[in-house]
């Protein structure tokens, strides 16, 4: 049975700054839960600890792979300000730390300040003309069954062995069954697309994420999200992947950057 | 008497995961210590806790301004892996939290993996043809006396009321008195330049940093660092500032992104 993100990331307080939850089956890639999904579980506990509904900036360091089963989140408020509350969290499975997180939370609303936007949402064919990614037991991974992901046709060639040559992945995102995307679900959106490196024509098959930081600028309007992920620097044994997420009204709702490892053995 | 960064960021263990240090005078902007400088103090304690010399990815959330005086850092290892050690830290002055940090540390060396670099160091006139920023009691701030900062002439016009119109700041960085720049000093370099917003011709005079994440790709070679900071999105009451730091041998040694507040009252 399909479980929506809201239920799959739910946490219950167990007292003393600790919450319990579960890594649900079906959110995995080759058996390991997607990192963005793990972060949404930690973020739900942080939101509750902080008493603020919206993450503004959240960073996760990924420490160990997550398998389906019970988890606990220890979430502590470091500082409660008038507008922002900063909290740290560690997500654990059987006392093994899987994710360490640090974030600031607020209640997002209209800003009223000056605006300047040097960028536009990625140009994408309509969702029905993009490449839908359907889940399989292996690749595409089961995790894709929880999402509705549509890749720009120019960026989808890696799937049949014809990568574009540009470490760029653009596409549409929404949750399965039209589940609304709140600001916590954005933490999943920024880690849900195939790695940019798949399009790079480099001898790299797997880039484990060390760290992911997501900034949330606004609550997304209902509907599809336009997403764009790009890598400029594969060097020093690392690569960054920069993401932008725009909503259907054309507003930038989030930015992300992750640092991933480029395994040495495959070069 | 001038104090170099190494001394000004030094910490001494006081047992039980706690280190003591001091915010030295002269590292301030209008009386408040520079955020990157505060982060170097926290990072020295994290490096000691982690037993690894080099930050790979470090995130700081800035909670309150720092004034000269004693500080403590509580640093905890969240997970010690074979290659990376992840640690959290809180820097406090008189029990008031100033900075919360989370980072992963390693010993950086040659990577041997595949490389792809879609970018170049910023083109800069030689340091002697750039605009040196000299410290004053007000603006430029005292903090600039700890550095040798040379701005690209095209990006220095904000100083006399002729901002370029582009939220871009490029320039050379080194520490005063030719103090070597290690990977911890890079955490200062990415927060040392004037805000990009100064060049944007927007009614914004002050953008307090909420969060800063720095990635370190390699230990910098001796000499000047070429730095470039750019803002693309001033929206939702926030702006991001993306930085790149290149060393004299032309290698990317670090990337940064910070999220800053765009005060509402000035729009």
């Amino acid at each position: 049975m399909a479980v929506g993100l809201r239920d799959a990331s739910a946490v219950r307080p167990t007292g003393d700054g600790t919450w319990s939850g579960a890594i649900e089956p079906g959110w995995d890639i080759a058996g390991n839960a997607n990192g963005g999904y793990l972060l949404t579980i930690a973020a739900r506990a942080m939101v509750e600890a902080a008493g603020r509904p919206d993450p503004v900036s959240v960073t996760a360091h990924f420490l160990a792979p997550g398998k389906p089963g019970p988890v606990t989140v220890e979430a502590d408020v470091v500082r409660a300000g008038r507008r922002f509350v900063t909290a740290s969290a560690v997500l654990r499975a059987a006392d093994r730390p899987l994710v360490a997180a640090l974030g600031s939370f607020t209640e997002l609303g209209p800003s009223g300040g000056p605006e300047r936007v040097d960028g536009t949402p990625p140009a994408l064919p309509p969702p029905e003309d993009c490449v839908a990614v359907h889940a399989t037991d292996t690749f595409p991974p089961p995790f894709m069954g929880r999402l509705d992901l549509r890749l720009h046709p120019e960026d989808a060639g890696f799937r049949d062995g014809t990568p574009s040559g540009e470490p760029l992945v653009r596409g549409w995102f929404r949750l399965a069954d039209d589940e609304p995307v709140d600001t916590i679900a954005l933490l999943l959106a920024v880690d849900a697309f195939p790695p940019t490196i798949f399009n790079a024509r480099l001898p790299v098959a797997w880039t484990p994420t060390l760290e992911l930081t997501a900034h949330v600028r606004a609550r997304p309007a209902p509907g599809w999200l336009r997403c764009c992920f790009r890598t400029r620097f594969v060097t020093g044994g690392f690569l960054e992947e920069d993401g932008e997420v725009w909503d259907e009204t054309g507003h930038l709702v989030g930015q992300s950057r992750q640092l991933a490892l480029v395994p040495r053995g495959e070069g």
Side-chain angles (χ1 to χ4, degrees), chain A residues 29-257:
Chain A
I29 298 163
N32 297 324
N34 168 266
Y37 165 56
L38 293 181
L39 178 54
T40 63
I41 301 173
R44 296 252 180 243
M46 296 169 91
V47 155
E48 293 209 8
R52 297 284 191 285
D54 300 306
V56 172
S57 172
V58 175
T59 291
H61 287 245
F62 296 98
L63 311 175
K67 308 284 184 184
V71 293
T72 61
V73 184
E74 189 188 326
D76 296 301
V77 170
V78 186
R79 180 178 174 267
R82 198 162 42 87
R83 186 167 163 212
F84 298 101
V85 178
T86 301
S88 63
V90 179
L91 172 80
R92 291 185 175 87
D95 292 333
R96 186 185 196 201
L98 306 184
V99 179
L102 178 64
S104 289
F105 297 81
T106 192
E107 182 164 351
L108 287 170
S111 78
E115 305 251 331
R116 174 186 168 122
V117 175
D118 287 339
T120 54
L124 297 169
E128 58 272 22
D129 295 333
C130 283
V131 178
V133 184
H134 299 292
T136 70
D137 286 344
T138 54
F139 187 84
F143 167 58
M144 290 301 170
R146 305 309 188 186
L147 316 173
D148 193 348
L149 214 66
R150 310 286 179 95
L151 300 180
H152 194 304
E154 292 173 9
D155 303 340
F158 69 88
R159 291 155 46 89
D160 57 16
T162 56
S164 68
E166 290 295 316
L168 171 69
V169 173
R170 295 161 294 178
W172 301 95
F173 172 96
R174 62 181 181 186
L175 293 170
D177 305 319
D178 274 332
E179 182 182 350
V181 175
D182 63 11
T183 51
I184 292 181
L186 282 179
L187 306 178
L188 171 68
V190 297
D191 197 40
F193 281 76
T196 51
I197 199 75
F198 283 2
N199 272 328
R201 291 200 201 115
L202 284 178
V204 178
W206 172 237
T207 55
T209 301
L210 187 76
E211 178 263 331
L212 166 69
T213 294
H215 295 171
V216 176
R217 292 293 181 96
R219 294 181 180 175
W224 286 99
L225 298 172
R226 285 176 192 258
C227 305
C228 178
F229 300 88
R230 185 185 296 275
T231 294
R232 294 176 58 226
F233 303 109
V234 182
T235 183
F238 303 94
L239 62 82
E240 95 290 355
E241 189 173 311
D242 282 354
E244 292 173 18
V245 181
W246 305 73
D247 72 8
E248 278 208 0
T249 67
H251 288 106
L252 180 80
V253 293
Q255 274 187 298
S256 65
R257 174 174 285 171

Side-chain angles (χ1 to χ4, degrees), chain A residues 5-40:
Chain A
L5 180 63
R6 177 161 285 276
D7 290 336
S9 61
V11 294
R12 294 179 310 279
T14 52
D16 202 27
T18 308
W19 281 259
S20 69
I23 300 175
E24 295 290 341
W27 291 84
D28 66 294
I29 298 163
N32 297 324
N34 168 266
Y37 165 56
L38 293 181
L39 178 54
T40 63

